[in-house]
Amino acid sequence: MSKKSEQKNAEAKKTVSEEELIPEEVENVPSPEERALAEAAALAEDYKRKWYSVTAEYENYRKRTALTRTQSYAEGRADVVSKLFPVGDNLERALHSCADEKTAQGLAMVLKSFEKILEEEKIVAIDPVGEVFDAEKCEAIMAVDPADGEESGIVRQVYLKGYEQNGKILRFAQVIVTK
């Protein structure tokens, strides 16, 4: 045999063996209906994943806005009440300087209603007399020499009351501290 005839026989064998493989591959190839079903299932899974993601994002947004709304409302109320602090200060000063008993009773009643409003709003007066000066709650406006046996850095007198609500300082107490 010549080289050319050997090459033709080899090519024929290759063609035959390739033809034998084609039917096997054809059996493994999915039909168009199966491909469409697989694509639809993958698309449905993708939509489901996206739906879960959007639902979770919306739930987080809803909780975040509810918290922000609640905080804003509470801060707004605290702002309004804090504008009344000078009124309470003036009522206390008037009560202490009043000589007439009937007027003092009237001022005490008004002051009591003011304190009730503060109590309803959960606002507590800061009164650190005799305590160690705390810069997070107080503002030192003056320093005086300590008396005999008195320590340094102690609040001796409150000049202007401070107020706090749920741990948040609405107004710092202005105090006189020992040196």
Side-chain angles (χ1 to χ4, degrees):
M1 287 186 150
S2 70
K3 288 186 178 182
K4 287 184 182 180
S5 60
E6 285 179 15
Q7 286 177 350
K8 285 183 183 178
N9 284 339
E11 287 177 18
K13 285 181 182 177
K14 282 184 182 177
T15 307
V16 170
S17 62
E18 288 175 358
E19 289 174 359
E20 290 174 358
L21 290 177
I22 291 174
E24 289 178 9
E25 290 176 3
V26 170
E27 289 176 11
N28 290 335
V29 173
S31 67
E33 293 86 19
E34 290 174 334
R35 265 189 263 131
L37 184 61
E39 287 174 9
L43 192 59
E45 188 64 34
D46 186 47
Y47 286 148
K48 183 179 178 182
R49 183 184 51 77
K50 287 179 182 177
W51 180 77
Y52 282 143
S53 175
V54 168
T55 303
E57 285 178 27
Y58 175 72
E59 188 65 26
N60 291 338
Y61 166 77
R62 190 181 62 76
K63 288 177 183 176
R64 196 172 43 249
T65 55
L67 179 65
T68 302
R69 192 174 340 120
T70 304
Q71 287 174 343
S72 297
Y73 181 73
E75 287 173 4
R77 288 180 66 118
D79 286 344
V80 170
V81 173
S82 67
K83 290 181 181 178
L84 296 175
F85 294 156
V87 174
D89 296 335
N90 291 333
L91 285 172
E92 286 179 0
R93 286 186 199 109
L95 183 63
H96 292 298
S97 65
C98 184
D100 182 32
E101 186 63 34
K102 297 265 185 197
T103 306
Q105 284 179 342
L107 286 172
M109 289 172 52
V110 174
L111 187 60
K112 189 173 270 190
S113 66
F114 172 75
E115 290 170 350
K116 185 177 178 187
I117 290 171
L118 295 180
E119 185 181 313
E120 288 172 358
E121 293 297 319
K122 296 178 179 72
I123 296 175
V124 180
I126 300 171
D127 189 16
V129 174
E131 297 177 7
V132 176
F133 175 75
D134 182 6
E136 293 182 11
K137 292 185 178 186
C138 303
E139 177 182 357
I141 59 169
M142 190 160 65
V144 295
D145 292 326
D148 291 337
E150 193 175 29
E151 293 181 29
S152 178
I154 302 294
V155 176
R156 182 178 283 175
Q157 180 183 353
V158 174
Y159 180 73
L160 191 62
K161 276 188 186 179
Y163 295 95
E164 70 177 317
Q165 181 182 36
N166 300 324
K168 180 183 176 188
I169 304 297
L170 300 177
R171 182 171 84 175
F172 289 92
Q174 294 182 355
V175 297
I176 298 172
V177 184
T178 57
K179 290 182 187 177

